Amino acid sequence: MALENAPDSLIEIDTSQIPHDKFGDAVRYGRSLMMNTAYYIGPNGINGKYLGNKMNCTNCHQEAGTKLYSFNLIGSHSDYPQYRAREGKILSLAERVNNCVMRPHSGKPLPLDSKEMIAFLSYLKWINSFAPKGDQFKGQKNLQVKFPAVAASPERGAALFAEHCARCHGANGEGVMTANNITYQYPPLWGSNGYQPGSSMHRVIKQAQWLKANMPQDKATWDKPFLKDEEALDLAAFINDDRIHQRPGVTSFDYPVISEKAIDYSIAPFIDSFPAMQHKYGPFQPIIDHYKKKGWKAVY
């Protein structure tokens, strides 16, 4: 195992090292669930119908959660239980897995003792064995973006989408379904089958950080991003413009402690006096500066 990885070295996961025993069987199934979530537990799932849409975990947590700077999950087994501001309480890793099932996937929670939940947890435990112990490693978090002095522009983002994204995700962001109609070759970015409002990808800063390292998929790498920071923010602003793009309806937006709300989470109430549109699109630096002056923590 790659336990000797220093925090600044690149972690590589060697799936040939998955053990050939009962635990290894669970790990392999967990990895398959990450890669082909809809096939197993989607609306037409062969092992249960838990997801409300046909996307896969790996659409956001790329390479089954092992790709650097892509909502990487290698450290998650060590990170939980942890406090989550969105819920305002400490969550177990199983509860966090179900958060993703219920929110981005608009589904219903997996039973905690189900074969699928055990497989997810086994896989996350196994990939965690490659992480350096007690240290944050390169690629664990998404790339940071620098904030321009102006708000992110959905209008500029629309032009970027047409130029770089529509060829895979469709002109209307509808995605491209596989021939068997079980899942997507390229996932939808909005619409009734897209991720929910309030999901991490629905936050402009959070999505821009992800886009910078990963999109377009045939042009960008974490060490050689294709999009400029302001372009990533503009593109995220267009994709997440709820004035023109429908999303699944939700009734709860959480964050019971208002002071813990991420600055790009645009659902009121806020601890500050900045308008919802500025929380959504920026400019973000004035918000950050205000929080610093007040001695508040700016989360983004």
Side-chain angles (χ1 to χ4, degrees):
M1 295 285 180
L3 299 180
E4 69 279 6
N5 276 302
D8 290 332
S9 64
L10 299 180
I11 295 175
E12 295 183 4
I13 304 297
D14 182 2
T15 56
S16 71
Q17 295 188 36
I18 299 175
H20 295 282
D21 54 18
K22 294 295 185 182
F23 177 69
D25 291 343
V27 171
R28 273 181 280 273
Y29 182 39
R31 186 175 187 277
S32 294
L33 283 168
M34 290 290 302
M35 298 294 291
N36 303 289
T37 323
Y39 173 75
Y40 290 105
I41 58 173
N44 305 116
I46 63 169
N47 290 343
K49 295 173 175 57
Y50 290 95
L51 306 185
N53 59 37
K54 297 181 178 181
M55 292 193 290
N56 301 309
C57 298
T58 200
N59 293 145
C60 295
H61 305 283
Q62 291 191 325
E63 297 177 11
T66 67
K67 186 179 179 182
L68 305 182
Y69 302 101
S70 185
F71 291 131
N72 186 281
L73 297 176
I74 292 174
S76 60
H77 195 271
S78 294
D79 290 341
Y80 283 85
Q82 71 168 240
Y83 180 80
R84 288 265 304 167
R86 186 175 178 187
E87 294 76 28
K89 64 180 183 180
I90 294 174
L91 296 187
S92 68
L93 184 55
E95 289 175 309
R96 186 69 185 98
V97 170
N98 269 336
N99 272 0
C100 281
V101 171
M102 293 186 291
R103 287 172 176 161
H105 291 285
S106 299
K108 60 183 181 181
L110 292 165
L112 298 183
D113 61 349
S114 64
K115 178 181 178 182
E116 284 67 36
M117 180 60 77
I118 297 300
F120 273 125
L121 297 181
S122 297
Y123 173 71
L124 293 173
K125 179 179 180 179
W126 182 77
I127 62 173
N128 190 219
S129 67
F130 287 83
K133 302 307 177 186
D135 291 298
Q136 182 174 314
F137 53 86
K138 184 185 290 290
Q140 184 175 14
K141 305 296 183 182
N142 288 350
L143 288 179
Q144 295 299 302
V145 295
K146 294 180 180 179
F147 302 128
V150 297
S153 167
E155 293 74 23
R156 291 193 300 266
L160 289 165
F161 182 88
E163 182 178 0
H164 301 300
C165 313
R167 61 190 173 94
C168 292
H169 294 283
N172 297 312
E174 69 275 19
V176 176
M177 187 69 69
T178 55
N180 58 17
N181 199 39
I182 291 175
T183 188
Y184 289 92
Q185 180 180 2
Y186 302 105
L189 301 182
W190 58 80
S192 59
N193 294 314
Y195 53 82
Q196 287 185 0
S199 302
S200 293
M201 279 294 194
H202 193 241
R203 290 166 45 194
V204 168
I205 295 176
K206 184 68 75 173
Q207 184 180 122
Q209 293 170 342
W210 186 91
L211 290 170
K212 180 179 176 179
N214 297 290
M215 291 291 139
Q217 66 170 1
D218 57 351
K219 296 180 179 180
T221 58
W222 68 267
D223 54 340
K224 293 183 179 180
F226 178 81
L227 297 170
K228 299 176 182 177
D229 288 6
E230 57 268 29
E231 290 176 329
L233 287 162
D234 289 344
L235 189 51
F238 169 70
I239 292 169
N240 288 315
D241 189 342
D242 300 320
R243 297 167 299 184
I244 57 175
H245 296 147
Q246 175 196 4
R247 293 203 175 277
V250 295
T251 58
S252 174
F253 292 94
D254 303 314
Y255 284 102
V257 182
I258 297 172
S259 62
E260 296 175 344
K261 189 174 292 187
I263 64 168
D264 57 337
Y265 194 87
S266 61
I267 307 299
F270 308 110
I271 192 176
D272 55 68
S273 59
F274 293 96
M277 289 293 285
Q278 185 165 352
H279 276 285
K280 176 121 183 163
Y281 299 115
F284 297 110
Q285 195 61 50
I287 302 177
I288 295 170
D289 292 342
H290 178 74
Y291 276 44
K292 184 178 181 179
K293 182 178 179 181
K294 290 286 189 179
W296 302 339
K297 182 180 180 181
V299 177
Y300 53 91

